Amino acid sequence: MRKEERAALILQRLEQHYPTTPVPLDHSDPFTLLIAVLLSAQCTDKKVNEVTPALFAAGPTPQAMAALPEATILGHIRQLGLATTKARNVKRLAELLLERNNGEVPASFQALEALPGVGHKTASVVMAQAFGVPAFPVDTHIHRLAQRWGLSSGVSVMRTETDLKRLFPKHAWNKLHLQIIFYGREFCTARGCDGTICPLCRELYPKRRKPVAWIKA
């Protein structure tokens, strides 16, 4: 099966598995999505969703968040990894939104990536899910599955993103990146599948017998 054929089959199977793709991080607008994605670095979505209701009640807008003392923000997110750095970034990000964008989240990769704590993946999620701009955020699940499914070499996250964008139609990117994440969490987990166990790995590579070593992001 050629790479393009594998991509077409993956698209079909994932649509069957996950016809709807709710964003896993609870949010109400682009600002709360941006903060939630920032907080999710090295942390589970479930844990982020546990702490953000109180945080967003205290700071629902950039204006309100910027007015909070950093210690207050830290108190709300202390359970998360890298909490001290994240609290500092959240406050400064809110301040910069007021200074640069009149309190609005910019619909621009360049402007988003210029904010503290916002890398390319975070900016891609916000552009895709808040503004509907085609993007393909690559997290550890996508990076792992792209290698197991023979879609990318895994030499870097950016290479994985480039390879997936080339293989899949642009109109599918925003939904597909969530579908791959959902599948990676449910079936093709880091320890639960080695490239030979989950349904899609078996269908894509029915003759594969040896485990697939994958390069971590």
Side-chain angles (χ1 to χ4, degrees):
M1 191 183 299
R2 294 184 301 109
K3 188 179 293 187
E4 290 75 14
E5 292 173 325
R6 291 198 299 275
L9 179 60
I10 288 164
L11 199 61
Q12 179 183 355
R13 292 290 182 263
L14 291 180
E15 184 63 27
Q16 292 169 347
H17 274 291
Y18 310 106
T20 59
T21 52
V23 178
L25 291 165
D26 295 338
H27 65 285
S28 57
D29 54 28
F31 175 67
T32 52
L33 176 63
L34 174 59
I35 297 301
V37 179
L38 183 158
L39 294 177
S40 69
Q42 299 187 31
C43 187
T44 66
D45 292 347
K46 180 181 178 182
K47 180 59 69 174
V48 173
N49 287 339
E50 290 174 2
V51 306
T52 49
L55 175 65
F56 293 154
T61 65
Q63 292 86 347
M65 191 72 78
L68 293 177
E70 188 178 312
T72 299
I73 298 173
L74 178 60
H76 286 297
I77 67 171
R78 194 177 299 278
Q79 304 172 48
L80 307 182
L82 307 175
T84 301
T85 299
K86 289 176 179 178
R88 181 170 61 250
N89 287 339
V90 166
K91 181 173 175 64
R92 185 58 184 148
L93 181 154
E95 292 171 345
L96 289 175
L97 289 180
L98 296 175
E99 294 172 16
R100 299 174 180 174
N101 298 92
N102 297 315
E104 299 293 328
V105 175
S108 156
F109 281 98
Q110 183 177 6
L112 285 169
E113 290 178 33
L115 295 169
V118 179
H120 182 66
K121 189 196 83 171
T122 297
S124 295
V125 172
V126 174
M127 291 296 286
Q129 305 304 335
F131 300 117
V133 175
F136 214 125
V138 174
D139 75 342
T140 55
H141 297 288
I142 295 175
H143 191 60
R144 179 178 72 250
L145 270 58
Q147 294 173 65
R148 287 180 176 170
W149 294 345
L151 304 180
S152 181
S153 64
V155 67
S156 70
V157 171
M158 291 305 296
R159 177 57 185 271
T160 298
E161 180 181 336
T162 299
D163 289 340
L164 295 178
K165 283 182 172 179
R166 181 177 56 82
L167 283 168
F168 293 103
K170 195 172 187 177
H171 67 80
W173 293 353
N174 290 358
K175 184 176 184 180
L176 180 61
H177 94 267
L178 287 172
Q179 290 173 320
I180 297 175
I181 290 171
F182 295 162
Y183 189 88
R185 289 175 176 174
E186 186 174 1
F187 297 104
C188 198
T189 62
R191 295 194 178 116
C193 181
D194 59 7
T196 68
I197 296 171
C198 82
L200 252 175
C201 284
R202 292 201 309 270
E203 185 172 8
L204 294 170
Y205 291 97
K207 296 182 180 179
R208 179 189 276 167
R209 296 293 178 264
K210 293 183 179 180
V212 176
W214 57 282
I215 304 169
K216 294 185 178 181

